[in-house]
Amino acid sequence: AFKELLVSNTYTNGKGIIRFDADLTEILNNAFAAQGTLASVTMPNSVTTIGIHAFNSCVKLESITLSNSLTTLGNDAFFNCSSLTSITIPSSYFTS
């Protein structure tokens, strides 16, 4: 479902790095759950919603940069992401 919206899906040292097109508005529930090599995600500013368990058990996910337009972050979106050390959440999310 995301194929047409992926700008890049690359691997560096065995770690997946995903960048999306600016047309993407929602990451669905469980969309990337248990993706074993996913290490870094950068959301375009068009993303307003990240679903429940969207990145659940992405155990190699180290960093994620969320959209400035984010209004909904689903429960446990990053549950069991044991390598997550950097998450950038725009300050606007806390005021909306």
Side-chain angles (χ1 to χ4, degrees):
F2 291 107
K3 236 187 292 186
E4 65 279 2
L5 297 176
L6 286 174
V7 171
S8 67
N9 183 12
T10 59
Y11 290 90
T12 303
N13 298 325
K15 296 178 181 179
I17 301 168
I18 294 179
R19 295 190 193 283
F20 294 102
D21 187 286
D23 291 336
L24 183 67
T25 59
E26 181 177 10
I27 304 293
L28 299 176
N29 296 348
N30 300 300
F32 293 96
Q35 294 299 312
T37 60
L38 184 59
S40 176
V41 176
T42 300
M43 301 282 168
N45 285 330
S46 58
V47 174
T48 59
T49 302
I50 296 177
I52 297 167
H53 293 280
F55 295 92
N56 179 36
S57 296
C58 289
V59 295
K60 290 190 179 180
L61 184 61
E62 297 171 354
S63 67
I64 187 160
T65 301
L66 301 177
S67 163
N68 288 330
S69 301
L70 187 68
T71 58
T72 304
L73 182 58
N75 291 341
D76 297 327
F78 305 105
F79 181 76
N80 199 30
C81 293
S82 55
S83 297
L84 191 59
T85 57
S86 173
I87 184 166
T88 304
I89 302 172
S91 60
S92 59
Y93 176 75
F94 299 104
T95 59
S96 56

